[in-house]
Every structure is written in structure tokens, then in C-alpha cells.
């Protein structure tokens, strides 16, 4: 029979593995979206984002979305390019980007001939995807959720989702982007 102490210790170990260290605050743990994913690739960055005031979290979301759009070549696509500027100015995003979690915008992204088509390496987390195979993904599809994150009302959730998706959109340059994010948040 297992002792309650041993069971609690195992539970704490699983939580630490899921969160890349000591589990974060209840606030972060309760967020929908990419908090756990960001924790797995850069736990100190997650903690740094959480510690920011709300206005800086919103700025961080905009910063990350701009980087994602730039690396994926989406900043030149008219209907996409205007969104970060609207978010910076605290104007609402177009309904296309906000309704149904941006599903219509994502479909447009995939069918618009003006959208570039490039791929980046994707390194799936084996704890999530049960594989260690490196695969490729459409860079624009990886970057676009960073833009959709700007529609999230909670600045903390918006910043976390935008930063995580921008990091993924950078593919093999992910670590450089994460280092830039740490520098930008100083």
C-alpha cells in the first residue's frame, strides 16, 4: 500500500515536470491556452510575463505578434498587417480575427494566394505528442495564432499565447526569439 506522502510527492513531481519546475500560480494554472506549453520551453519567461503589469503584458503580446508576423512574411498581407497596429492603439480587431476564435481568418489565411507558404521545423514535445520525430509545419499557420491571441481580453493570457506561438513560428530560431523576448522584458 502506498503512503499518502509518497502519492503527494509523485503528484508534485508530475506537476513539476508538466510546468518545467515548481507549478506556477493558480492564476497561470487556470488559464486556457499555451501557459503549460510556454513553461515547457522557457519557464523563466513564463514567470517574467506573469510578473509584468497588465499594460506591459498587452505590449508583450503585441511585440510577439509583430515578430511572428514578420518572421512568417505576413506583415505584407493587407488584411493581416493592420491587426497589430489596431491592437497597439487599443482598437478592436476586425471581427474576422475575433469571431469563433479566429476560425474564419485562419481559413482565409490557408486559402489566400497572397499569403506566403514557407515551412519551419517543429519539435513536438514527446510528453504531449508521444514522438520525438522532427517534422515541418507551415510557418504562417504557426505564426497566425500569435495574432489571434491579441483578441484575448486577459492581457496575461494574450501575452503567453502570443509569445509561445511566435516562438514556434521561429522554428530553428526559436531560442534566439526567446532570448530576444527576455531582453525585451527587462
Amino acid at each position: 500500500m502506498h503512503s499518502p506522502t509518497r502519492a503527494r510527492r509523485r503528484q508534485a513531481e508530475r506537476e513539476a515536470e508538466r510546468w518545467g519546475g515548481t507549478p506556477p500560480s493558480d492564476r497561470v494554472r487556470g488559464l486556457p491556452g499555451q501557459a503549460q506549453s510556454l513553461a515547457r520551453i522557457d519557464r523563466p519567461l513564463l514567470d517574467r510575463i506573469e510578473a509584468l503589469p497588465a499594460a506591459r503584458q498587452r505590449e508583450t503580446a503585441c511585440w510577439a505578434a509583430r515578430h511572428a508576423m514578420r518572421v512568417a512574411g505576413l506583415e505584407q498581407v493587407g488584411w493581416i498587417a493592420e491587426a497589430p497596429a489596431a491592437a497597439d492603439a487599443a482598437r478592436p480587431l476586425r471581427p474576422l480575427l475575433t469571431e469563433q476564435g479566429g476560425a474564419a481568418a485562419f481559413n482565409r489565411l490557408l486559402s489566400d494566394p497572397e499569403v506566403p507558404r514557407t515551412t519551419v521545423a517543429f519539435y513536438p514535445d514527446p510528453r504531449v505528442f508521444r514522438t520525438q520525430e522532427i517534422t515541418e509545419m507551415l510557418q504562417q499557420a504557426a505564426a497566425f495564432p500569435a495574432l489571434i491571441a491579441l483578441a484575448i481580453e486577459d492581457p496575461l493570457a494574450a501575452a503567453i499565447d502570443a509569445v509561445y506561438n511566435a516562438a514556434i513560428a521561429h522554428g530553428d530560431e526559436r531560442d534566439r526569439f526567446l532570448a530576444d523576448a527576455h531582453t525585451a522584458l527587462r
Side-chain angles (χ1 to χ4, degrees):
M1 198 158 160
H2 298 292
S3 73
T5 304
R6 181 181 285 167
R8 279 193 298 274
R9 188 173 31 239
R10 266 198 242 136
Q11 174 64 25
E13 288 169 1
R14 282 193 297 272
E15 280 288 298
E17 183 179 329
R18 286 179 46 215
W19 287 101
T22 304
S25 69
D26 288 342
R27 170 140 162 63
V28 170
R29 291 169 76 168
L31 290 174
Q34 301 298 340
Q36 200 170 93
S37 298
L38 181 58
R40 283 195 204 107
I41 64 171
D42 194 328
R43 176 54 191 275
L45 185 57
L46 174 69
D47 294 338
R48 186 172 271 178
I49 292 169
E50 181 184 17
L52 295 172
R56 286 274 294 149
Q57 290 169 344
R58 184 60 64 190
E59 289 171 11
T60 299
C62 292
W63 176 86
R66 284 188 185 286
H67 278 266
M69 297 306 99
R70 188 174 308 122
V71 75
L74 295 173
E75 63 186 354
Q76 303 303 318
V77 180
W79 64 274
I80 296 171
E82 67 191 36
D88 281 339
R91 292 190 318 264
L93 299 178
R94 294 174 61 189
L96 176 70
L97 296 169
T98 60
E99 293 173 351
Q100 297 175 345
F106 195 78
N107 288 335
R108 181 172 176 185
L109 172 84
L110 297 177
S111 64
D112 187 338
E114 290 185 34
V115 172
R117 301 277 188 265
T118 53
T119 59
V120 290
F122 177 65
Y123 304 90
D125 185 333
R127 294 169 291 193
V128 176
F129 292 98
R130 302 198 194 299
T131 181
Q132 293 184 350
E133 290 182 27
I134 298 169
T135 187
E136 289 189 342
M137 64 186 308
L138 183 64
Q139 188 174 31
Q140 293 70 30
F144 203 66
L147 182 67
I148 298 300
L150 298 179
I152 300 172
E153 285 188 37
D154 181 340
L156 176 59
I160 290 169
D161 282 15
V163 168
Y164 172 76
N165 287 298
I168 297 305
H170 278 77
D172 287 334
E173 295 294 316
R174 179 182 86 183
D175 291 340
R176 182 188 54 77
F177 168 79
L178 292 169
D180 289 349
H182 278 281
T183 300
L185 296 179
R186 285 195 177 125

